[in-house]
Amino acid sequence: YNEKNEAFSVVKKFELDKKLREEGKTEGIVDGLLQSLEKLLYIKFSDTSCMDNIRKIEDENTLSSIFEDTARSSSIGEFKEKLKQRKLN
């Protein structure tokens, strides 16, 4: 009885630790994408005014797509139009 509960606790703790590590990893990726996006917007367009809206995004796939939009846009206006199409501006 006691050993079963202890084993169950160890498994639950392992699962929780794994989940927390995965969440931390995702959070780190999101933070890195946000920093890179802000830097790219500044270098390319000298305009980071849309970062407040972008910072609300927590999905790394969406942020990655926005990063690609930034790289492919030839003007800040074009980039903001792409954000508007994503309903982010």
Side-chain angles (χ1 to χ4, degrees):
Y1 165 75
N2 214 3
E3 288 177 13
K4 264 188 175 177
N5 284 343
E6 195 172 314
F8 182 75
S9 292
V10 169
V11 169
K12 281 296 182 194
K13 184 181 181 322
F14 176 78
E15 289 173 355
L16 179 62
D17 286 350
K18 184 178 175 187
K19 182 179 178 195
L20 290 173
R21 279 194 307 276
E22 288 170 2
E23 287 174 2
K25 182 179 174 185
T26 299
E27 192 175 301
I29 291 169
V30 166
D31 287 346
L33 280 166
L34 287 170
Q35 288 176 13
S36 297
L37 257 168
E38 187 167 19
K39 187 175 274 192
L40 182 58
L41 284 166
Y42 181 76
I43 290 169
K44 200 163 178 183
F45 306 122
S46 297
D47 185 341
T48 59
S49 60
C50 43
M51 281 306 297
D52 285 343
N53 287 336
I54 294 171
R55 277 191 195 91
K56 296 174 187 170
I57 301 165
E58 296 179 2
D59 179 69
E60 66 182 275
N61 293 323
T62 302
L63 288 170
S64 184
S65 294
I66 292 170
F67 187 88
E68 290 174 20
D69 288 347
T70 308
R72 290 188 175 115
S73 295
S74 54
S75 69
I76 192 67
E78 181 183 346
F79 174 70
K80 287 182 177 182
E81 185 59 36
K82 289 177 182 180
L83 281 183
K84 188 187 280 186
Q85 290 171 3
R86 293 180 182 277
K87 306 204 181 343
L88 298 172
N89 194 8

